[in-house]
Amino acid sequence: MTLSEFFVIVPDLSTEKHPEVRPRHLSHVAERMAKGEFYRQGGAYLSSPIASGQEGNLPYAGSAMVVAAEDEEDVKRQLTNDPYAKEGVWDVAKARIFHFKTGDSVPINYPLQQ
């Protein structure tokens, strides 16, 4: 199996549900990443700036990520299996998927925030 990299942008269907589902999404991502599967890096994109150190009531708008997958259909299948999709946060039908090649990166070395 040959994997390719993809840059993926997924808008939210429900920004209200985003914080509620986030712990299950992060657990899912951590499990997958620990196995070297699918997710490489990612995070939320926001509809407006936030104050330094602000953690609650973030203005979520969707998610952006780099993933490894066989092809675009595999990306869609994997997105569909994420709690954000299963619980009505992501609008997977409107996901934008781009072929991507990671350049240099610097590891951030911190645990996923729960």
Side-chain angles (χ1 to χ4, degrees), residues 57-104:
N57 298 321
L58 298 178
Y60 293 110
S63 301
M65 65 205 80
V66 175
V67 302
E70 293 180 33
D71 53 30
E72 290 183 41
E73 289 304 312
D74 187 28
V75 172
K76 291 175 188 173
R77 277 190 301 274
Q78 298 294 338
L79 292 173
T80 301
N81 287 323
D82 188 286
Y84 274 160
K86 288 181 174 182
E87 297 185 45
V89 175
W90 278 346
D91 189 347
V92 175
K94 292 184 180 174
R96 298 189 62 201
I97 302 169
F98 303 92
H99 291 274
F100 190 76
K101 178 63 179 143
T102 301
D104 292 334

Side-chain angles (χ1 to χ4, degrees), residues 5 40-41 66 100-109:
E5 287 182 303
R40 295 294 182 250
Q41 59 185 337
V66 175
F100 190 76
K101 178 63 179 143
T102 301
D104 292 334
S105 63
V106 177
I108 297 179
N109 296 326

Side-chain angles (χ1 to χ4, degrees), residues 21-39:
V21 179
R22 187 171 187 259
R24 292 183 291 284
H25 163 74
L26 291 178
S27 177
H28 176 78
V29 168
E31 289 173 18
R32 301 296 305 276
M33 288 180 80
K35 296 176 184 177
E37 296 176 349
F38 195 63
Y39 295 97

Side-chain angles (χ1 to χ4, degrees), residues 8-31:
V8 181
I9 301 169
V10 187
D12 280 356
L13 280 166
S14 170
T15 56
E16 294 81 25
K17 291 180 79 174
H18 197 124
E20 171 193 334
V21 179
R22 187 171 187 259
R24 292 183 291 284
H25 163 74
L26 291 178
S27 177
H28 176 78
V29 168
E31 289 173 18

